Amino acid sequence: MGQDGLNEGQDLVVYRNIGTARTPALDKPVAIKLPGPAMSRPSPYVVDWDGDGTPDLLCGTDKAEVWFFRNTGTRRAPAFAQGQRLDLKGEGFKEGYRCRIEVTDWNNDGKRDLLVGNFYSINGTGGGKAGGNVWLFLGR
């Protein structure tokens, strides 16, 4: 637990815009307590992932992982269930890290699809190789 009362790698801090879209003004920080697991460098994305009408939380991490936190509360008072790792498979996906996500309907079939950008680095004799990929995971 850090000096600020947050569980490092497990809690997120939100700064709500109390201004307007044109003139943003950020309110004081508010911690969102996540039940776990602890994540390295979580990259949150708010979306109604399970289709129940309340915003859930997806988190990309520093590993080749994306976690789903179901909102068991309400829109105004969210509460999150234990994180579930999404079963994302693709040749070479597990070699990447620093996953950052976007949810869209890529193929216009009415289902949520997931874009995951990540980074990879392969150390070799020639100084290594580094790059990144964007992965598309179609919803079923």
Side-chain angles (χ1 to χ4, degrees), residues 119-140:
F119 181 78
Y120 68 86
S121 175
I122 301 169
N123 295 325
T125 56
K129 177 170 112 171
N133 293 299
V134 176
W135 300 83
L136 170 62
F137 298 97
L138 296 175
R140 296 188 223 164

Side-chain angles (χ1 to χ4, degrees), residues 41 43 60-66 91-101 115-123 127-135 137:
R41 295 182 182 167
S43 178
T61 71
D62 212 23
K63 297 180 181 178
E65 298 174 343
V66 175
E91 188 176 330
F93 178 70
K94 294 295 181 192
E95 281 79 45
Y97 54 96
R98 289 193 189 137
C99 290
R100 303 303 179 247
I101 55 182
L115 288 169
V116 180
N118 67 7
F119 181 78
Y120 68 86
S121 175
I122 301 169
N123 295 325
K129 177 170 112 171
N133 293 299
V134 176
W135 300 83
F137 298 97

Side-chain angles (χ1 to χ4, degrees), residues 12-35:
L12 301 175
V13 177
V14 175
Y15 295 84
R16 292 183 191 259
N17 180 9
I18 56 174
T20 65
R22 242 176 218 267
T23 311
L26 300 179
D27 201 0
K28 63 183 179 187
V30 175
I32 294 180
K33 302 284 185 189
L34 296 177

Side-chain angles (χ1 to χ4, degrees), residues 61-108:
T61 71
D62 212 23
K63 297 180 181 178
E65 298 174 343
V66 175
W67 291 84
F68 165 55
F69 295 88
R70 182 183 314 278
N71 183 356
T72 58
T74 65
R75 180 175 289 282
R76 292 219 177 259
F80 297 98
Q82 182 77 21
Q84 300 171 351
R85 186 172 29 170
L86 299 183
D87 187 22
L88 303 176
K89 295 178 182 165
E91 188 176 330
F93 178 70
K94 294 295 181 192
E95 281 79 45
Y97 54 96
R98 289 193 189 137
C99 290
R100 303 303 179 247
I101 55 182
E102 175 71 36
V103 177
T104 186
D105 183 1
W106 184 264
N107 56 354
N108 295 314

